[in-house]
Amino acid sequence: ATTEIYTLSLHDALPISSMQEPISPAQQHRENLAGEMKAASRVTIIGMILDAVLGVIKVIGGALFNSQALLVDGIHSFTDVASDLVVLGVMKVSRQEPDDDHPYGHQRIETFGTLVLGSILIAVGAALAWENTLRLIEGGVDTVPGWPVLVAAAASVAGKEWIFRYTRHVGLKIRSDLIIANAWHSRTDAFSSVVVLVSTAGAMLGMVWLDVFAAVVIAGIIIHIGWKFTWDSVKELVDTGLSQEDTEMLKSIARDTDGVRNVHELRSRRMGHDILLDIHLVVRPEISVSEGHQIGMQVVSGMRDALDNIRDINFHIDAENDEDQPLTSERLPSREDIRAILARHLGELPQHSRLRLHYLKNKVHLELFLDSPEGETVFSSSNIREELGDYPWFGSVRVWVAGP
């Protein structure tokens, strides 16, 4: 029995219409990347323009009408503009085609961009929280926000909720964690504007301190979202695998596939939104290499039906669970080594004979197929066992002779 490693790419499973010219996987991948980049750029630019307009309105409105909460919310909008610029730059680089230096693509750059974006949010939120916390402690807040603050906050809620839904839809469609993260950044701006609405109404009713308190709350929201982006990116960069539930589900799919005896290793990691898998499948040792490959293909098909964002699957066909075998310094002989040993002890194998080797439990088990009974007089099971029995690697031997 032999051990082989096969790799199946996501593009191997792309349907091709019989009415169209065949499209190579590489060409299909380039077209997908171009389409994803175009969609990501369009939604990001629209969001950036909206953020800039709202930021100007809120900063000016907060300064003119005595609302610290609206001013902080405006700064939050400008951080959205900065994040949009980061997204545009990172998406352009991360959606490049795989090359010799990056055979799996450049999606980790997107993860790094999300990490940078999260770090910016944490820094901005912490600075704003500190400043407004000091104002609360020191007291002396006696200015009441004007009614235009309510109008600006309401407009911000409506605009940011719309851009959140639009951006998230595009992010899910092109499977971009960075675009999805940017969408949630927009949603936090809508949340913070709701806080401005509530605090302004409270301040106008006599609780003036609510405006500054709301500024601290908004800063806390910014920090929370930034931390989530940062931590998720760190987990991906250190190759955190799938959840225990998803891992067990994929193992069950493999074990339930006809021909699979066991699964003794499954490793996973993420690259952007895509999943990369390595799996070891234990099959019967006497089957052919091609049958082992077909069994692996059935496992791949089942896994893809369960998780559609699996990009690459490496499946390793094993005749046994090699993790259970003790380590040994003994080097098992190759096919040519064994033929040479047989020739030294019993002479050259007959011309049309076939030798099949099984490497199991740190031993070599031989099967010899002879086309005529004449060869069995020399290459009988007993003769081979007697000559090779003292070799530490020898396991067993079977000789098959063709009938008349």
Side-chain angles (χ1 to χ4, degrees):
T2 57
T3 298
E4 296 288 342
I5 298 177
Y6 304 94
T7 301
L8 186 68
S9 172
L10 171 64
H11 312 300
D12 295 340
L14 289 173
I16 299 177
S17 171
S18 58
M19 302 299 292
Q20 298 175 339
E21 291 294 327
I23 300 176
S24 68
Q27 183 181 354
Q28 182 69 54
H29 187 54
R30 284 194 296 271
E31 292 180 1
N32 289 343
L33 291 177
E36 291 172 0
M37 181 60 198
K38 183 177 180 180
S41 299
R42 181 172 60 250
V43 70
T44 304
I45 290 173
I46 292 173
M48 183 169 61
I49 294 172
L50 178 63
D51 291 332
V53 172
L54 290 176
V56 170
I57 292 173
K58 288 189 281 190
V59 168
I60 294 177
L64 291 179
F65 298 100
N66 307 315
S67 175
Q68 187 66 20
L70 187 64
L71 182 62
V72 172
D73 198 21
I75 295 174
H76 186 192
S77 293
F78 283 126
T79 66
D80 283 353
V81 175
S83 70
D84 291 335
L85 292 172
V86 171
V87 168
L88 285 174
V90 170
M91 285 296 297
K92 183 176 181 180
V93 177
S94 66
R95 285 314 196 235
Q96 293 181 76
E97 297 179 51
D99 52 36
D100 292 340
D101 292 330
H102 306 88
Y104 287 100
H106 300 77
Q107 287 175 289
R108 285 288 171 83
I109 299 176
E110 180 176 328
T111 306
F112 180 74
T114 307
L115 176 66
V116 172
L117 173 58
S119 301
I120 292 173
L121 291 178
I122 292 173
V124 172
L128 294 174
W130 177 253
E131 178 184 349
N132 286 281
T133 299
L134 291 179
R135 292 188 66 197
L136 271 178
I137 295 173
E138 292 170 359
V141 180
D142 54 6
T143 54
V144 178
W147 65 264
V149 173
L150 295 174
V151 177
S156 177
V157 171
K160 296 303 292 187
E161 183 63 21
W162 172 78
I163 198 63
F164 159 74
R165 294 178 182 272
Y166 178 34
T167 306
R168 185 171 180 271
H169 171 74
V170 173
L172 292 173
K173 185 176 181 180
I174 68 174
R175 301 185 306 169
S176 170
D177 287 341
L178 182 60
I179 294 296
I180 295 172
N182 205 36
W184 280 104
H185 188 192
S186 297
R187 170 59 77 82
T188 63
D189 213 359
F191 285 157
S192 61
S193 295
V194 170
V195 174
V196 173
L197 277 172
V198 174
S199 65
T200 300
M204 294 174 71
L205 292 174
M207 294 177 285
V208 182
W209 57 270
L210 268 180
D211 183 65
V212 179
F213 179 74
V216 177
V217 172
I218 295 169
I221 294 174
I222 298 173
I223 294 172
H224 172 73
I225 297 299
W227 170 253
K228 184 178 184 302
F229 293 166
T230 302
W231 181 239
D232 288 346
S233 299
V234 168
K235 289 192 293 184
E236 182 179 330
L237 288 174
V238 297
D239 281 342
T240 301
L242 295 176
S243 67
Q244 187 66 28
E245 292 77 13
D246 285 343
T247 299
E248 289 302 321
M249 176 192 67
L250 294 176
K251 285 184 177 180
S252 296
I253 290 172
R255 292 192 187 101
D256 293 341
T257 302
D258 186 31
V260 176
R261 285 186 164 184
N262 199 4
V263 176
H264 70 84
E265 185 177 353
L266 189 152
R267 294 179 297 176
S268 62
R269 55 195 173 100
R270 291 186 177 274
M271 195 168 195
H273 190 66
D274 293 334
I275 298 171
L276 308 178
L277 292 177
D278 295 283
I279 185 168
H280 287 232
L281 307 172
V282 181
V283 300
R284 297 188 307 277
E286 68 273 11
I287 68 173
S288 66
V289 172
S290 59
E291 185 180 354
H293 177 263
Q294 181 60 28
I295 291 171
M297 295 285 286
Q298 294 299 319
V299 171
V300 166
S301 177
M303 288 182 170
R304 287 243 164 87
D305 288 341
L307 295 175
D308 61 1
N309 58 330
I310 297 177
R311 174 163 183 164
D312 285 296
I313 301 178
N314 293 331
F315 60 86
H316 186 109
I317 300 300
D318 283 337
E320 61 183 351
N321 187 344
D322 47 23
E323 290 183 342
D324 292 339
Q325 301 306 315
L327 294 176
T328 176
S329 59
E330 183 72 24
R331 174 185 174 272
L332 297 178
S334 67
R335 173 178 293 272
E336 292 305 316
D337 293 336
I338 293 174
R339 292 182 71 93
I341 291 172
L342 287 172
R344 187 162 62 248
H345 288 278
L346 298 170
E348 293 290 339
L349 290 172
Q351 183 177 1
H352 297 293
S353 65
R354 290 183 295 116
L355 180 63
R356 181 182 294 171
L357 305 177
H358 301 273
Y359 292 81
L360 299 169
K361 301 185 185 304
N362 292 319
K363 299 285 186 180
V364 183
H365 304 265
L366 286 68
E367 282 188 284
L368 181 60
F369 297 83
L370 302 174
D371 285 346
S372 62
E374 289 80 6
E376 191 181 11
T377 57
V378 176
F379 293 97
S380 65
S381 297
S382 57
N383 286 348
I384 295 175
R385 193 177 297 110
E386 181 180 350
E387 295 296 331
L388 304 186
D390 292 335
Y391 286 90
W393 51 262
F394 178 74
S396 64
V397 61
R398 286 185 178 183
V399 178
W400 306 89
V401 182

